[in-house]
Amino acid sequence: MNKKILLVLCLVVAVDAASFGLLLPVVPFFVHQLTGSFNAIAVTSVTATYSGLQFIGAPVIGRLSDRWGRRSVLTVTVAISAVALIGQALSTSLLILLLFSGLNGASSGVFAISQALVADTVEDRNQRTVGFGAIGAALGLGFIIGPGIGGALGAIDPRFPFFVASAFCLLNVVLIRLYLPKASKPKQPITSQEKATNPLFTRGDHRLKKLISIYFLFYLGFSAFSGIFVLAAKERFNWGPQPTSLVLVYVGVVAVVVQGALLPRLLKAIRPDKLSIIGLSLVAVAMLGVSVISEGRDLYATQLLFAGGVGLSTPGLRSAMSLCVNENQQGVLGGMTQSVVSLTSLIGPLLAGQMYESAGYGATFQTQAVLVFVAVGLLASMPRLPADPQAVKTPSA
């Protein structure tokens, strides 16, 4: 892959992640400002609304990027997100906050299109995994920058991070227009069947369906964990925005080190699917650890496992899925995987909020661990995926 394009793409992903990460430490406190309550269901409904509309919008954005080019579609969607974030910052009620959160979710397509751009330009499986790892590291870098700034600003006023996040989106518009290639159109003509068909529902090789199922289970546990984490830290350890944001920054640092520096070296000795199994196992163990700790400082140990596990597992899973479709469907696949993440981000926080209110702290995190352990079992039972993309039977083959 062209190193300049990859560098710019990583920068765009990092800025996008920072714009989202800015909000993570402050959403419960903004909801409290609007409603006078820290109710778990009200707090998680903000994330759920964002994710529900992202679930609808991501596949459309991915498909449009296949047809009209990555840069043009990215420019429009990121600009819409900037407007939506201003609307959230100016919200005077929970309903208005939810409406603009939904608009922001519907226009969120940076990571989906970034995955498609990597798949457009890299054929070798290990190098493709490294490419996905690079944008994953950029995502982690954004989560170093975003929560740190968001926690500091949120301690002054929970509205401030939304304004800064909007400014970050505008910065991304400039980066996209100036430095990404004008178009990333497929090398082969898109057939009418490819335009109409979702690769997940095409007959043939069932690998993609199984991988999507694994991805779904993992992200269901991950999203439930992330959706309740800030509120749980507040109630269990009496933490405000700043100490919580420090843990989120720490997670980002670990993810950057794992995906940016450690992953390329590990791939020389360990297959991507083996790394994914190891990574998912670490995530599940971390969730079990969170369920039993009694001191806030212990989160630094559990989140070391958590961030390291996510960093090892997700690039290999994305690479494996990208090898199951042809080059004309990478945008569709990117949108589809982002849609899976969005669906789990809709369901996960809502389930976590309900369980947290009814069953308590420990049971909530233990249930999340079980979901990820099931994903580990499914992945371990799959046959090894060939390293050569041409050896994988794609749905259109």
Side-chain angles (χ1 to χ4, degrees):
M1 184 177 188
N2 185 301
K3 290 184 179 180
K4 181 180 178 181
I5 294 175
L6 181 59
L7 179 62
V8 174
L9 191 60
C10 287
L11 184 58
V12 169
V13 169
V15 172
D16 181 70
S19 73
F20 183 78
L22 274 159
L23 313 182
L24 292 177
V26 300
V27 168
F29 302 92
F30 192 20
V31 170
H32 177 263
Q33 187 180 91
L34 295 174
T35 67
S37 170
F38 281 107
N39 180 270
I41 296 172
V43 170
T44 53
S45 67
V46 178
T47 303
T49 302
Y50 174 93
S51 302
L53 271 293
Q54 189 181 54
F55 171 69
I56 297 171
V60 176
I61 291 171
R63 191 175 291 275
L64 288 175
S65 77
D66 280 337
R67 186 168 186 178
W68 301 109
R70 314 294 186 209
R71 192 179 79 161
S72 299
V73 174
L74 266 180
T75 301
V76 173
T77 57
V78 173
I80 293 172
S81 288
V83 173
L85 285 162
I86 292 292
Q88 288 180 269
L90 299 176
S91 297
T92 55
S93 69
L94 180 61
L95 177 60
I96 295 174
L97 179 64
L98 292 174
L99 288 173
F100 280 107
S101 181
L103 177 60
N104 190 17
S107 60
S108 178
V110 168
F111 200 70
I113 296 178
S114 299
Q115 292 179 86
L117 275 166
V118 171
D120 285 341
T121 52
V122 182
E123 291 189 0
D124 177 76
R125 185 188 180 188
N126 276 7
Q127 288 304 310
R128 187 173 287 188
T129 302
V130 170
F132 284 126
I135 62 173
L139 194 73
L141 181 61
F143 279 108
I144 295 171
I145 298 168
I149 298 174
L153 293 175
I156 303 170
D157 189 326
R159 295 178 185 271
F160 289 172
F162 290 87
F163 287 112
V164 177
S166 178
F168 277 26
C169 286
L170 293 176
L171 172 61
N172 248 355
V173 170
V174 174
L175 291 172
I176 291 163
R177 296 304 299 176
L178 290 180
Y179 298 110
L180 285 185
K182 288 186 178 181
S184 299
K185 293 184 178 179
K187 298 174 184 177
Q188 300 172 357
I190 301 177
T191 66
S192 58
Q193 181 183 2
E194 288 171 341
K195 288 180 182 179
T197 302
N198 185 318
L200 186 59
F201 302 114
T202 307
R203 293 181 181 178
D205 193 351
H206 294 289
R207 277 195 182 94
L208 181 59
K209 295 180 178 68
K210 291 178 182 177
L211 287 166
I212 289 289
S213 297
I214 292 164
Y215 206 64
F216 175 85
L217 285 169
F218 164 60
Y219 267 102
L220 183 60
F222 177 93
S223 299
F225 181 90
S226 303
I228 203 67
F229 178 76
V230 174
L231 184 61
K234 177 197 173 296
E235 296 198 349
R236 189 154 179 101
F237 310 120
N238 196 29
W239 279 12
Q242 286 184 309
T244 306
S245 69
L246 289 176
V247 172
L248 295 174
V249 169
Y250 170 74
V251 168
V253 170
V254 175
V256 168
V257 172
V258 170
Q259 293 187 317
L262 188 59
L263 182 65
R265 291 174 172 81
L266 288 175
L267 283 169
K268 294 177 181 178
I270 306 173
R271 300 199 315 265
D273 52 337
K274 292 285 188 183
L275 283 177
S276 293
I277 291 171
I278 294 169
L280 291 178
S281 300
L282 290 176
V283 171
V285 170
M287 290 172 169
L288 287 178
V290 172
S291 75
V292 298
I293 61 174
S294 57
E295 297 290 338
R297 63 176 179 270
D298 295 334
L299 284 172
Y300 285 93
T302 61
Q303 298 315 98
L304 175 66
L305 298 178
F306 182 83
V310 171
L312 291 176
S313 60
T314 51
L317 288 174
R318 292 178 188 130
S319 176
M321 287 186 285
S322 73
L323 294 172
C324 293
V325 302
N326 65 34
E327 61 183 11
N328 291 342
Q329 295 176 308
Q330 295 298 336
V332 174
L333 178 63
M336 187 168 63
T337 55
Q338 185 62 59
S339 188
V340 168
V341 174
S342 304
L343 178 61
T344 59
S345 297
L346 168 63
I347 300 171
L350 291 177
L351 290 178
Q354 294 281 357
M355 180 167 284
Y356 190 81
E357 291 288 338
S358 60
Y361 176 93
T364 301
F365 291 105
Q366 288 161 11
T367 301
Q368 296 157 10
V370 169
L371 291 170
V372 181
F373 273 128
V374 173
V376 172
L378 288 174
L379 184 58
S381 68
M382 285 188 64
R384 181 178 176 182
L385 189 70
D388 180 6
Q390 302 304 319
V392 181
K393 184 181 178 183
T394 63
S396 60

